[in-house]
Amino acid sequence: MSLWCMLLLVSLAAGEDNSTTASPCSSCRMRQELRSLSLAAIKEQVLSKLGMKQAPNMTGRQLPKLPPLRHLIDLYGMGVLVPTQGMQGDEPFKPGPLVLDEEDDFHARTEKVIAFAQPHPKLRHSWRGQDILYFRFSDKVVRNRVVRAQLWVYVRGSDSPVESPINVSVLKVLRGSSSAESPVLTPFDNLKVVRPNGSEGTWVSLEVRRLLSDWFKFPRDNLGMVIHAVGPKDSQGRSLVVTDLEEEEGVYAPFLEVHTADNRRHRTKRTIGLNCHENSDETRCCRYPLTVDFEEFGWDWIIAPKKYEANYCAGECPYVFLQKYPHTHIVHLANPAGTAGPCCAPRKMSAISMLYFDQEFNIIYGLLPGMVVDRCGCS
């Protein structure tokens, strides 16, 4: 039995318990029960789909001011305060019949992960004066394929009036030949020349897709990296590239921006649905509007969207509505007298994009499947 059918049974039971209470619209009362149950189910689904047992505790944490993060929020119209017209979901909700077509296609489900550098839990934090930077990824993330990966580092501005080039390279940390031997570094074939402008610093990025692909395939080999800069020092004798994780409370610590994908096949399907407004007197199976507001859940770990249109299904599915279909007697055989008949449930659902903190406090951009009801039907 589907989740939506179970919600309907619970709603019916609640309706029977309140049968003595006068109500101008029993179907409206049932829909209100379904709305509340749907919100509770969505709350559980979000955590389950993200592989979390409980919501991350974001007490005392603030949203970092990072270039790709700002770009994401702007690109997808997912500002921290999302206006109603920017909410995700199907096309604008309009009551009446709904006919949709789907086409054969391969859809890449893309995620963007922003991982912050941290000290390695087992290795020394530095090697020969070089800071070892470690990036932790969850099992869910490393199961995907790396499409693109960029390492972002902050370059301090130069006090010198003359611009000087800085060579920034990435060194991969490898295991020693024995457990007692110190780790070794091997040059990675990414190199970028940076010319700081005046006294103001800037963020620069290096392509590290091949390195991240290796880490995702062999997570045990992820021992971190070292960022090496060759060039002039600043007035305090520091390297112009920031690698100290504690400097200025980590505001300028290096971070990774990783794009991943998981290809899935979608088959062609054509179905017809029905949309209804909340005060409709329609008794047949229909799709109704439902707004999910994450701020009402108290979920400050979801950066965007703050709310989205989820919709829900409600209505009756008596056998008389199925008589126009051939082989209806088979339905009766599958649902003999005294058992639950056809249930009004989602027939098509779609994903929402989400920007959130995971349990490692990395920032993830990804797609959550099956979060928006696009069409309802009897099943």
Side-chain angles (χ1 to χ4, degrees):
M1 182 182 296
S2 71
L3 173 63
W4 286 86
C5 289
M6 288 190 289
L7 289 177
L8 178 60
L9 290 177
V10 173
S11 179
L12 287 172
E16 292 175 356
D17 293 340
N18 297 326
S19 58
T20 57
T21 303
S23 172
C25 176
S26 60
S27 62
C28 294
R29 185 177 66 245
M30 183 183 300
R31 289 201 298 268
Q32 185 60 39
E33 292 287 342
L34 277 173
R35 284 173 57 87
S36 300
L37 292 170
S38 297
L39 287 173
I42 289 172
K43 189 174 182 179
E44 293 182 5
Q45 282 186 8
V46 171
L47 292 176
S48 177
K49 290 176 187 289
L50 296 180
M52 299 179 180
K53 294 184 179 179
Q54 59 186 12
N57 183 2
M58 301 307 298
T59 303
R61 291 185 175 268
Q62 295 183 348
L63 194 64
K65 298 179 181 179
L66 305 177
L69 179 59
R70 187 71 259 168
H71 173 70
L72 260 182
I73 293 176
D74 293 341
L75 180 62
Y76 294 96
M78 298 193 305
V80 175
L81 295 177
V82 181
T84 302
Q85 62 268 28
M87 289 190 295
Q88 299 184 75
D90 199 19
E91 296 181 1
F93 197 100
K94 296 179 180 179
L98 178 66
V99 181
L100 294 176
D101 289 319
E102 295 176 357
E103 299 178 355
D104 284 332
D105 201 356
F106 285 89
H107 298 275
R109 306 174 70 83
T110 303
E111 285 188 342
K112 178 180 287 190
V113 181
I114 299 177
F116 300 97
Q118 53 186 288
H120 196 284
K122 296 181 180 179
L123 299 179
R124 289 178 298 175
H125 299 342
S126 62
W127 183 83
R128 296 183 181 178
Q130 302 283 348
D131 293 317
I132 295 180
L133 306 178
Y134 178 66
F135 299 89
R136 185 192 303 273
F137 299 96
S138 67
D139 293 339
K140 175 180 179 294
V141 170
V142 298
R143 284 196 294 264
N144 296 319
R145 173 172 56 89
V146 178
V147 176
R148 184 160 62 94
Q150 291 177 287
L151 171 67
W152 288 82
V153 295
Y154 189 80
V155 180
R156 298 185 181 93
S158 174
D159 297 329
S160 172
V162 180
E163 289 186 342
S164 302
I166 301 175
N167 296 329
V168 181
S169 58
V170 177
L171 304 177
K172 182 180 179 180
V173 180
L174 301 176
R175 297 181 187 278
S177 56
S178 66
S179 59
E181 187 176 346
S182 298
V184 296
L185 304 182
T186 181
F188 195 69
D189 58 357
N190 282 295
L191 186 68
K192 184 159 188 172
V193 177
V194 181
R195 299 178 66 88
N197 245 341
S199 60
E200 300 214 354
T202 183
W203 288 94
V204 298
S205 64
L206 295 88
E207 176 61 38
V208 289
R209 186 186 67 82
R210 189 162 58 86
L211 176 59
L212 267 293
S213 295
D214 292 343
W215 283 354
F216 277 31
K217 291 178 183 177
F218 309 103
R220 287 175 54 87
D221 292 341
N222 176 9
L223 300 181
M225 65 172 70
V226 167
I227 301 174
H228 184 61
V230 178
K233 307 287 185 179
D234 70 356
S235 59
Q236 301 179 38
R238 302 173 301 181
S239 168
L240 290 187
V241 176
V242 178
T243 58
D244 186 351
L245 303 184
E246 297 181 358
E247 185 172 332
E248 295 191 36
E249 299 181 350
V251 173
Y252 297 118
F255 64 92
L256 285 170
E257 178 186 356
V258 187
H259 299 247
T260 66
D262 174 23
N263 295 326
R264 303 188 184 187
R265 181 187 295 273
H266 292 249
R267 296 181 179 178
T268 301
K269 184 187 296 183
R270 177 183 177 90
T271 55
I272 300 175
L274 186 65
N275 288 341
C276 297
H277 57 76
E278 192 56 47
N279 297 322
S280 172
D281 57 2
E282 176 63 63
T283 59
R284 293 174 297 172
C285 178
C286 197
R287 183 180 75 146
Y288 292 87
L290 173 64
T291 301
V292 175
D293 190 334
F294 293 120
E295 289 187 325
E296 290 184 355
F297 292 169
W299 283 3
D300 54 353
W301 56 276
I302 294 182
I303 302 170
K306 292 301 183 184
K307 60 177 65 175
Y308 82 99
E309 293 293 347
N311 308 319
Y312 72 102
C313 301
E316 300 175 3
C317 288
Y319 288 116
V320 67
F321 292 156
L322 304 177
Q323 296 302 321
K324 62 179 179 179
Y325 298 104
H327 312 301
T328 307
H329 64 284
I330 297 178
V331 178
H332 286 276
L333 292 176
N335 295 276
T339 63
C343 172
C344 180
R347 302 294 290 170
K348 180 179 182 296
M349 300 188 74
S350 59
I352 64 170
S353 54
M354 182 176 287
L355 197 62
Y356 63 96
F357 285 96
D358 68 3
Q359 298 287 10
E360 306 294 342
F361 301 112
N362 292 326
I363 294 177
I364 305 236
Y365 167 74
L367 296 179
L368 271 69
M371 298 304 297
V372 178
V373 176
D374 295 327
R375 194 156 60 252
C376 299
C378 296
S379 61

PDB file of all heavy atoms in Angstrom, residues 342-368:
ATOM      1  N   PRO A 342      -9.627   1.083  -5.081  1.00  0.00           N
ATOM      2  CA  PRO A 342      -8.629   1.995  -5.657  1.00  0.00           C
ATOM      3  C   PRO A 342      -8.436   3.214  -4.776  1.00  0.00           C
ATOM      4  O   PRO A 342      -9.366   3.694  -4.131  1.00  0.00           O
ATOM      5  CB  PRO A 342      -9.235   2.362  -7.014  1.00  0.00           C
ATOM      6  CG  PRO A 342     -10.194   1.267  -7.323  1.00  0.00           C
ATOM      7  CD  PRO A 342     -10.732   0.810  -6.010  1.00  0.00           C
ATOM      8  N   CYS A 343      -7.217   3.724  -4.768  1.00  0.00           N
ATOM      9  CA  CYS A 343      -6.868   4.845  -3.887  1.00  0.00           C
ATOM     10  C   CYS A 343      -6.432   6.032  -4.726  1.00  0.00           C
ATOM     11  O   CYS A 343      -5.741   5.878  -5.740  1.00  0.00           O
ATOM     12  CB  CYS A 343      -5.740   4.421  -2.951  1.00  0.00           C
ATOM     13  SG  CYS A 343      -5.059   5.762  -1.955  1.00  0.00           S
ATOM     14  N   CYS A 344      -6.834   7.227  -4.315  1.00  0.00           N
ATOM     15  CA  CYS A 344      -6.410   8.457  -4.983  1.00  0.00           C
ATOM     16  C   CYS A 344      -4.981   8.767  -4.529  1.00  0.00           C
ATOM     17  O   CYS A 344      -4.746   9.039  -3.347  1.00  0.00           O
ATOM     18  CB  CYS A 344      -7.343   9.599  -4.610  1.00  0.00           C
ATOM     19  SG  CYS A 344      -6.926  11.190  -5.386  1.00  0.00           S
ATOM     20  N   ALA A 345      -4.052   8.697  -5.449  1.00  0.00           N
ATOM     21  CA  ALA A 345      -2.635   8.844  -5.103  1.00  0.00           C
ATOM     22  C   ALA A 345      -1.893   9.521  -6.253  1.00  0.00           C
ATOM     23  O   ALA A 345      -2.401   9.607  -7.369  1.00  0.00           O
ATOM     24  CB  ALA A 345      -2.022   7.472  -4.816  1.00  0.00           C
ATOM     25  N   PRO A 346      -0.674  10.020  -5.987  1.00  0.00           N
ATOM     26  CA  PRO A 346       0.104  10.657  -7.060  1.00  0.00           C
ATOM     27  C   PRO A 346       0.394   9.691  -8.204  1.00  0.00           C
ATOM     28  O   PRO A 346       0.784   8.544  -7.980  1.00  0.00           O
ATOM     29  CB  PRO A 346       1.402  11.071  -6.353  1.00  0.00           C
ATOM     30  CG  PRO A 346       1.033  11.188  -4.921  1.00  0.00           C
ATOM     31  CD  PRO A 346       0.010  10.126  -4.683  1.00  0.00           C
ATOM     32  N   ARG A 347       0.187  10.141  -9.428  1.00  0.00           N
ATOM     33  CA  ARG A 347       0.521   9.365 -10.617  1.00  0.00           C
ATOM     34  C   ARG A 347       1.774   9.893 -11.289  1.00  0.00           C
ATOM     35  O   ARG A 347       2.367   9.233 -12.117  1.00  0.00           O
ATOM     36  CB  ARG A 347      -0.650   9.404 -11.610  1.00  0.00           C
ATOM     37  CG  ARG A 347      -1.937   8.879 -11.057  1.00  0.00           C
ATOM     38  CD  ARG A 347      -1.862   7.401 -10.742  1.00  0.00           C
ATOM     39  NE  ARG A 347      -1.786   6.617 -11.961  1.00  0.00           N
ATOM     40  CZ  ARG A 347      -1.515   5.319 -12.003  1.00  0.00           C
ATOM     41  NH1 ARG A 347      -1.252   4.681 -10.868  1.00  0.00           N
ATOM     42  NH2 ARG A 347      -1.495   4.673 -13.140  1.00  0.00           N
ATOM     43  N   LYS A 348       2.158  11.095 -10.956  1.00  0.00           N
ATOM     44  CA  LYS A 348       3.401  11.661 -11.476  1.00  0.00           C
ATOM     45  C   LYS A 348       3.943  12.632 -10.440  1.00  0.00           C
ATOM     46  O   LYS A 348       3.197  13.470  -9.929  1.00  0.00           O
ATOM     47  CB  LYS A 348       3.191  12.384 -12.807  1.00  0.00           C
ATOM     48  CG  LYS A 348       4.464  13.000 -13.385  1.00  0.00           C
ATOM     49  CD  LYS A 348       4.208  13.697 -14.719  1.00  0.00           C
ATOM     50  CE  LYS A 348       5.498  14.257 -15.312  1.00  0.00           C
ATOM     51  NZ  LYS A 348       6.113  15.316 -14.495  1.00  0.00           N
ATOM     52  N   MET A 349       5.225  12.492 -10.137  1.00  0.00           N
ATOM     53  CA  MET A 349       5.860  13.382  -9.173  1.00  0.00           C
ATOM     54  C   MET A 349       7.168  13.889  -9.755  1.00  0.00           C
ATOM     55  O   MET A 349       7.758  13.257 -10.642  1.00  0.00           O
ATOM     56  CB  MET A 349       6.111  12.658  -7.848  1.00  0.00           C
ATOM     57  CG  MET A 349       4.844  12.130  -7.198  1.00  0.00           C
ATOM     58  SD  MET A 349       5.107  11.486  -5.526  1.00  0.00           S
ATOM     59  CE  MET A 349       5.329  13.011  -4.608  1.00  0.00           C
ATOM     60  N   SER A 350       7.615  15.026  -9.292  1.00  0.00           N
ATOM     61  CA  SER A 350       8.851  15.606  -9.794  1.00  0.00           C
ATOM     62  C   SER A 350       9.733  16.035  -8.628  1.00  0.00           C
ATOM     63  O   SER A 350       9.312  16.045  -7.468  1.00  0.00           O
ATOM     64  CB  SER A 350       8.565  16.799 -10.714  1.00  0.00           C
ATOM     65  OG  SER A 350       7.831  17.796 -10.030  1.00  0.00           O
ATOM     66  N   ALA A 351      10.954  16.389  -8.971  1.00  0.00           N
ATOM     67  CA  ALA A 351      11.955  16.735  -7.955  1.00  0.00           C
ATOM     68  C   ALA A 351      11.959  18.230  -7.669  1.00  0.00           C
ATOM     69  O   ALA A 351      11.412  19.033  -8.433  1.00  0.00           O
ATOM     70  CB  ALA A 351      13.333  16.281  -8.426  1.00  0.00           C
ATOM     71  N   ILE A 352      12.589  18.599  -6.572  1.00  0.00           N
ATOM     72  CA  ILE A 352      12.885  20.001  -6.291  1.00  0.00           C
ATOM     73  C   ILE A 352      14.398  20.126  -6.118  1.00  0.00           C
ATOM     74  O   ILE A 352      15.076  19.174  -5.725  1.00  0.00           O
ATOM     75  CB  ILE A 352      12.168  20.518  -5.025  1.00  0.00           C
ATOM     76  CG1 ILE A 352      12.654  19.773  -3.768  1.00  0.00           C
ATOM     77  CG2 ILE A 352      10.670  20.441  -5.176  1.00  0.00           C
ATOM     78  CD1 ILE A 352      12.178  20.393  -2.461  1.00  0.00           C
ATOM     79  N   SER A 353      14.923  21.279  -6.445  1.00  0.00           N
ATOM     80  CA  SER A 353      16.333  21.559  -6.180  1.00  0.00           C
ATOM     81  C   SER A 353      16.443  22.158  -4.782  1.00  0.00           C
ATOM     82  O   SER A 353      15.555  22.880  -4.327  1.00  0.00           O
ATOM     83  CB  SER A 353      16.897  22.523  -7.225  1.00  0.00           C
ATOM     84  OG  SER A 353      16.111  23.694  -7.315  1.00  0.00           O
ATOM     85  N   MET A 354      17.535  21.835  -4.109  1.00  0.00           N
ATOM     86  CA  MET A 354      17.676  22.278  -2.714  1.00  0.00           C
ATOM     87  C   MET A 354      19.137  22.606  -2.420  1.00  0.00           C
ATOM     88  O   MET A 354      20.053  21.937  -2.897  1.00  0.00           O
ATOM     89  CB  MET A 354      17.183  21.200  -1.753  1.00  0.00           C
ATOM     90  CG  MET A 354      17.248  21.613  -0.284  1.00  0.00           C
ATOM     91  SD  MET A 354      16.543  20.359   0.830  1.00  0.00           S
ATOM     92  CE  MET A 354      14.802  20.569   0.481  1.00  0.00           C
ATOM     93  N   LEU A 355      19.338  23.642  -1.642  1.00  0.00           N
ATOM     94  CA  LEU A 355      20.649  24.061  -1.179  1.00  0.00           C
ATOM     95  C   LEU A 355      20.629  23.944   0.341  1.00  0.00           C
ATOM     96  O   LEU A 355      19.803  24.573   1.006  1.00  0.00           O
ATOM     97  CB  LEU A 355      20.912  25.513  -1.606  1.00  0.00           C
ATOM     98  CG  LEU A 355      22.340  26.039  -1.580  1.00  0.00           C
ATOM     99  CD1 LEU A 355      23.229  25.255  -2.526  1.00  0.00           C
ATOM    100  CD2 LEU A 355      22.350  27.512  -1.944  1.00  0.00           C
ATOM    101  N   TYR A 356      21.529  23.102   0.907  1.00  0.00           N
ATOM    102  CA  TYR A 356      21.421  22.822   2.337  1.00  0.00           C
ATOM    103  C   TYR A 356      22.776  22.444   2.928  1.00  0.00           C
ATOM    104  O   TYR A 356      23.725  22.122   2.217  1.00  0.00           O
ATOM    105  CB  TYR A 356      20.432  21.684   2.567  1.00  0.00           C
ATOM    106  CG  TYR A 356      20.850  20.367   1.955  1.00  0.00           C
ATOM    107  CD1 TYR A 356      21.508  19.396   2.707  1.00  0.00           C
ATOM    108  CD2 TYR A 356      20.591  20.088   0.618  1.00  0.00           C
ATOM    109  CE1 TYR A 356      21.890  18.186   2.154  1.00  0.00           C
ATOM    110  CE2 TYR A 356      20.979  18.883   0.045  1.00  0.00           C
ATOM    111  CZ  TYR A 356      21.629  17.936   0.819  1.00  0.00           C
ATOM    112  OH  TYR A 356      22.026  16.748   0.258  1.00  0.00           O
ATOM    113  N   PHE A 357      22.849  22.474   4.259  1.00  0.00           N
ATOM    114  CA  PHE A 357      24.008  21.981   4.991  1.00  0.00           C
ATOM    115  C   PHE A 357      23.786  20.506   5.295  1.00  0.00           C
ATOM    116  O   PHE A 357      22.703  20.120   5.743  1.00  0.00           O
ATOM    117  CB  PHE A 357      24.178  22.730   6.322  1.00  0.00           C
ATOM    118  CG  PHE A 357      24.716  24.123   6.193  1.00  0.00           C
ATOM    119  CD1 PHE A 357      23.862  25.214   6.159  1.00  0.00           C
ATOM    120  CD2 PHE A 357      26.082  24.348   6.123  1.00  0.00           C
ATOM    121  CE1 PHE A 357      24.345  26.512   6.063  1.00  0.00           C
ATOM    122  CE2 PHE A 357      26.586  25.637   6.034  1.00  0.00           C
ATOM    123  CZ  PHE A 357      25.723  26.722   5.987  1.00  0.00           C
ATOM    124  N   ASP A 358      24.821  19.667   5.076  1.00  0.00           N
ATOM    125  CA  ASP A 358      24.700  18.276   5.473  1.00  0.00           C
ATOM    126  C   ASP A 358      25.272  18.097   6.879  1.00  0.00           C
ATOM    127  O   ASP A 358      25.644  19.068   7.542  1.00  0.00           O
ATOM    128  CB  ASP A 358      25.362  17.339   4.459  1.00  0.00           C
ATOM    129  CG  ASP A 358      26.888  17.483   4.427  1.00  0.00           C
ATOM    130  OD1 ASP A 358      27.450  18.269   5.223  1.00  0.00           O
ATOM    131  OD2 ASP A 358      27.520  16.811   3.587  1.00  0.00           O
ATOM    132  N   GLN A 359      25.359  16.841   7.329  1.00  0.00           N
ATOM    133  CA  GLN A 359      25.819  16.582   8.688  1.00  0.00           C
ATOM    134  C   GLN A 359      27.295  16.919   8.878  1.00  0.00           C
ATOM    135  O   GLN A 359      27.754  17.084  10.011  1.00  0.00           O
ATOM    136  CB  GLN A 359      25.587  15.094   9.047  1.00  0.00           C
ATOM    137  CG  GLN A 359      24.112  14.678   9.035  1.00  0.00           C
ATOM    138  CD  GLN A 359      23.335  15.224  10.215  1.00  0.00           C
ATOM    139  OE1 GLN A 359      23.819  16.068  10.958  1.00  0.00           O
ATOM    140  NE2 GLN A 359      22.105  14.750  10.400  1.00  0.00           N
ATOM    141  N   GLU A 360      28.048  17.003   7.781  1.00  0.00           N
ATOM    142  CA  GLU A 360      29.461  17.392   7.872  1.00  0.00           C
ATOM    143  C   GLU A 360      29.621  18.906   7.786  1.00  0.00           C
ATOM    144  O   GLU A 360      30.741  19.421   7.724  1.00  0.00           O
ATOM    145  CB  GLU A 360      30.254  16.734   6.729  1.00  0.00           C
ATOM    146  CG  GLU A 360      30.106  15.228   6.628  1.00  0.00           C
ATOM    147  CD  GLU A 360      30.706  14.509   7.813  1.00  0.00           C
ATOM    148  OE1 GLU A 360      31.527  15.139   8.515  1.00  0.00           O
ATOM    149  OE2 GLU A 360      30.365  13.336   8.049  1.00  0.00           O
ATOM    150  N   PHE A 361      28.490  19.638   7.695  1.00  0.00           N
ATOM    151  CA  PHE A 361      28.447  21.092   7.560  1.00  0.00           C
ATOM    152  C   PHE A 361      29.039  21.557   6.241  1.00  0.00           C
ATOM    153  O   PHE A 361      29.486  22.692   6.107  1.00  0.00           O
ATOM    154  CB  PHE A 361      29.130  21.795   8.749  1.00  0.00           C
ATOM    155  CG  PHE A 361      28.500  21.459  10.057  1.00  0.00           C
ATOM    156  CD1 PHE A 361      29.179  20.711  11.007  1.00  0.00           C
ATOM    157  CD2 PHE A 361      27.203  21.861  10.336  1.00  0.00           C
ATOM    158  CE1 PHE A 361      28.581  20.381  12.213  1.00  0.00           C
ATOM    159  CE2 PHE A 361      26.602  21.543  11.539  1.00  0.00           C
ATOM    160  CZ  PHE A 361      27.289  20.800  12.478  1.00  0.00           C
ATOM    161  N   ASN A 362      29.074  20.640   5.234  1.00  0.00           N
ATOM    162  CA  ASN A 362      29.343  21.057   3.859  1.00  0.00           C
ATOM    163  C   ASN A 362      28.047  21.600   3.282  1.00  0.00           C
ATOM    164  O   ASN A 362      26.951  21.261   3.734  1.00  0.00           O
ATOM    165  CB  ASN A 362      29.830  19.882   3.010  1.00  0.00           C
ATOM    166  CG  ASN A 362      31.208  19.401   3.427  1.00  0.00           C
ATOM    167  OD1 ASN A 362      32.039  20.203   3.844  1.00  0.00           O
ATOM    168  ND2 ASN A 362      31.448  18.112   3.316  1.00  0.00           N
ATOM    169  N   ILE A 363      28.156  22.443   2.274  1.00  0.00           N
ATOM    170  CA  ILE A 363      26.969  22.973   1.607  1.00  0.00           C
ATOM    171  C   ILE A 363      26.728  22.156   0.347  1.00  0.00           C
ATOM    172  O   ILE A 363      27.624  21.988  -0.476  1.00  0.00           O
ATOM    173  CB  ILE A 363      27.150  24.461   1.259  1.00  0.00           C
ATOM    174  CG1 ILE A 363      27.242  25.284   2.549  1.00  0.00           C
ATOM    175  CG2 ILE A 363      25.987  24.963   0.407  1.00  0.00           C
ATOM    176  CD1 ILE A 363      27.487  26.748   2.321  1.00  0.00           C
ATOM    177  N   ILE A 364      25.521  21.637   0.193  1.00  0.00           N
ATOM    178  CA  ILE A 364      25.189  20.756  -0.923  1.00  0.00           C
ATOM    179  C   ILE A 364      24.062  21.369  -1.733  1.00  0.00           C
ATOM    180  O   ILE A 364      23.077  21.868  -1.175  1.00  0.00           O
ATOM    181  CB  ILE A 364      24.745  19.379  -0.407  1.00  0.00           C
ATOM    182  CG1 ILE A 364      25.812  18.795   0.499  1.00  0.00           C
ATOM    183  CG2 ILE A 364      24.373  18.462  -1.543  1.00  0.00           C
ATOM    184  CD1 ILE A 364      26.364  17.500   0.190  1.00  0.00           C
ATOM    185  N   TYR A 365      24.217  21.315  -3.045  1.00  0.00           N
ATOM    186  CA  TYR A 365      23.114  21.654  -3.952  1.00  0.00           C
ATOM    187  C   TYR A 365      22.730  20.371  -4.675  1.00  0.00           C
ATOM    188  O   TYR A 365      23.580  19.718  -5.281  1.00  0.00           O
ATOM    189  CB  TYR A 365      23.516  22.721  -4.972  1.00  0.00           C
ATOM    190  CG  TYR A 365      22.494  22.844  -6.076  1.00  0.00           C
ATOM    191  CD1 TYR A 365      21.278  23.467  -5.832  1.00  0.00           C
ATOM    192  CD2 TYR A 365      22.729  22.303  -7.328  1.00  0.00           C
ATOM    193  CE1 TYR A 365      20.326  23.540  -6.823  1.00  0.00           C
ATOM    194  CE2 TYR A 365      21.777  22.382  -8.324  1.00  0.00           C
ATOM    195  CZ  TYR A 365      20.574  23.005  -8.069  1.00  0.00           C
ATOM    196  OH  TYR A 365      19.619  23.075  -9.050  1.00  0.00           O
ATOM    197  N   GLY A 366      21.479  19.973  -4.581  1.00  0.00           N
ATOM    198  CA  GLY A 366      21.076  18.728  -5.220  1.00  0.00           C
ATOM    199  C   GLY A 366      19.592  18.692  -5.526  1.00  0.00           C
ATOM    200  O   GLY A 366      18.856  19.642  -5.260  1.00  0.00           O
ATOM    201  N   LEU A 367      19.172  17.583  -6.123  1.00  0.00           N
ATOM    202  CA  LEU A 367      17.777  17.366  -6.473  1.00  0.00           C
ATOM    203  C   LEU A 367      17.181  16.297  -5.563  1.00  0.00           C
ATOM    204  O   LEU A 367      17.767  15.225  -5.398  1.00  0.00           O
ATOM    205  CB  LEU A 367      17.648  16.927  -7.936  1.00  0.00           C
ATOM    206  CG  LEU A 367      18.085  17.935  -8.994  1.00  0.00           C
ATOM    207  CD1 LEU A 367      17.912  17.336 -10.381  1.00  0.00           C
ATOM    208  CD2 LEU A 367      17.270  19.216  -8.883  1.00  0.00           C
ATOM    209  N   LEU A 368      16.016  16.569  -4.991  1.00  0.00           N
ATOM    210  CA  LEU A 368      15.285  15.602  -4.197  1.00  0.00           C
ATOM    211  C   LEU A 368      14.138  15.073  -5.051  1.00  0.00           C
ATOM    212  O   LEU A 368      13.215  15.821  -5.389  1.00  0.00           O
ATOM    213  CB  LEU A 368      14.722  16.234  -2.920  1.00  0.00           C
ATOM    214  CG  LEU A 368      15.628  16.223  -1.694  1.00  0.00           C
ATOM    215  CD1 LEU A 368      16.804  17.167  -1.926  1.00  0.00           C
ATOM    216  CD2 LEU A 368      14.854  16.617  -0.455  1.00  0.00           C
TER     217      LEU A 368
END
